Amino acid sequence: MVPKQKRDAFRAILKGENVIRPGSVYDPISARIAEDLGFELGLLGGSAASLTILGDPDLLLITLSELAEQARRICRAGNIPVLVDADHGYGNALNVRRTVQELEAAGVAGLTIEDTLLPQAYGQAKPQLISLEEGVGKMKAALGGRLDSSLVIVGRTGAASITNIDDAVARAKAYEAAGVDALFFTGVKTRAELNAIASATTLPIILGTFDGELSDTVFLGIHRVRVANQGHAPIAAATQAVYETLKALREGVSPKELKGLPSTELTHRVMREADVKARSAEVLGLKR
């Protein structure tokens, strides 16, 4: 599937009436597993990318080129559309433009640009936001940077938890007016907050979390939520599995006695061994 087909598939999700839960992916294997399990959308989150690339917390220590390369590896591995957390676009509005160009070339279906002040300002422990005007400039730069109009540009704000819901609504309206394709909100916790957002805007909505009052997918769907994230448990589970396996080996457990390992069938499936063997037989004359 070529990038435009993946982007069109993501746009179909946003134009639909159902709420989907994306699969958190962080490398080619996790993306293939998500695809095989039937997830309609993969999500490369900033924290998962930072942990995969650097093994560091989500403090914006990775670079644009590192993120774009990881996204490229994920996107080439299969057909699942991938939405990438592009943080603040790695700088000012001009950097945002380049971020869009690099991630578009990597094959992503969509990306989010947020209005958080990143990296954190000196002496400021709490998250801060850039001005609404600068946020609008970043959204315009993102839209101006794409070559394929099917690439989904998502305006993201954390104002609901950093300032207040009124600010979140004002920013959402401004980003919608700038021309973004969807709106992403973090920190929205109540039905009243979501109702305020949905009443003031018309675009599809993506939520950073959905629990408590917002766990009802029927309610979410009525209020135009089309994607509801469910965290990044897969990479956490992988970390635990690697820890337990290495710990057992260090303690002298025989490789044949290890628990929790994938079956040979699963391993062959996620590495697409049958396809590789077929190509090898065709172009290298190797027996299947």
Side-chain angles (χ1 to χ4, degrees):
M1 187 181 293
V2 299
K4 188 178 185 308
Q5 291 176 301
K6 298 179 184 180
R7 292 161 188 165
D8 289 342
F10 183 26
R11 285 184 174 274
I13 291 172
L14 296 176
K15 292 178 181 178
E17 298 182 355
N18 298 321
V19 181
I20 69 107
R21 293 173 291 178
S24 175
V25 301
Y26 53 90
D27 68 359
I29 293 298
S30 62
R32 284 177 175 172
I33 292 172
E35 179 181 334
D36 290 348
L37 290 174
F39 279 93
E40 302 92 337
L41 179 69
L43 172 65
L44 175 58
S47 59
S50 183
L51 186 57
T52 303
I53 295 169
L54 291 182
D56 282 347
D58 188 15
L59 298 174
L60 203 69
L61 300 177
I62 62 175
T63 65
L64 168 58
S65 58
E66 289 171 330
L67 176 69
E69 178 59 21
Q70 190 68 8
R72 184 191 67 79
R73 290 170 177 164
I74 291 170
C75 291
R76 69 165 291 278
N79 294 318
I80 188 172
V82 177
L83 173 63
V84 174
D85 174 2
D87 287 308
H88 69 323
Y90 293 86
N92 64 21
L94 295 179
N95 297 106
V96 168
R97 181 182 177 89
R98 167 135 192 253
T99 294
V100 170
Q101 293 170 338
E102 295 293 341
L103 291 177
E104 180 179 301
V108 308
L111 58 97
T112 65
I113 296 294
E114 65 186 84
D115 53 14
T116 312
L117 178 62
L118 295 172
Q120 287 178 263
Y122 179 81
Q124 296 292 331
K126 295 182 178 180
Q128 295 176 293
L129 300 175
I130 59 177
S131 69
L132 184 150
E133 292 77 14
E134 185 176 0
V136 168
K138 285 194 169 188
M139 302 307 157
K140 290 180 177 179
L143 293 163
R146 68 181 174 187
L147 296 178
D148 180 359
S149 60
S150 65
L151 177 70
V152 178
I153 304 295
V154 183
R156 172 172 167 168
T157 183
S161 59
I162 297 175
T163 52
N164 53 63
I165 192 63
D166 291 336
D167 188 24
V169 168
R171 288 169 180 267
K173 291 172 65 177
Y175 300 159
E176 179 172 337
V180 299
D181 302 303
L183 298 166
F184 188 121
F185 298 90
T186 59
V188 175
K189 298 180 179 179
T190 69
R191 291 190 173 202
E193 290 175 339
L194 180 57
N195 185 63
I197 290 168
S199 298
T201 60
T202 63
L203 293 175
I205 293 172
I206 301 174
L207 290 182
T209 57
F210 72 112
D211 52 19
E213 290 186 29
L214 299 179
S215 60
D216 182 355
T217 55
V218 174
F219 178 83
L220 297 183
I222 292 172
H223 289 76
R224 295 198 320 282
V225 175
R226 297 296 173 257
V227 180
N229 298 334
Q230 51 188 352
H232 302 295
I235 194 169
T239 300
Q240 183 66 32
V242 171
Y243 177 85
E244 294 296 341
T245 300
L246 286 174
K247 181 174 182 291
L249 289 170
R250 179 62 176 170
E251 292 173 351
V253 176
S254 168
K256 294 182 179 180
E257 297 175 349
L258 291 172
K259 297 179 180 180
L261 298 183
S263 66
T264 300
E265 187 276 332
L266 176 58
T267 301
H268 287 176
R269 179 161 21 112
V270 298
M271 71 171 61
R272 305 297 194 251
E273 184 181 59
D275 294 340
V276 174
K277 283 187 174 181
R279 286 193 295 272
S280 297
E282 179 182 1
V283 301
L284 293 178
L286 303 181
K287 294 182 179 180
R288 296 179 63 178

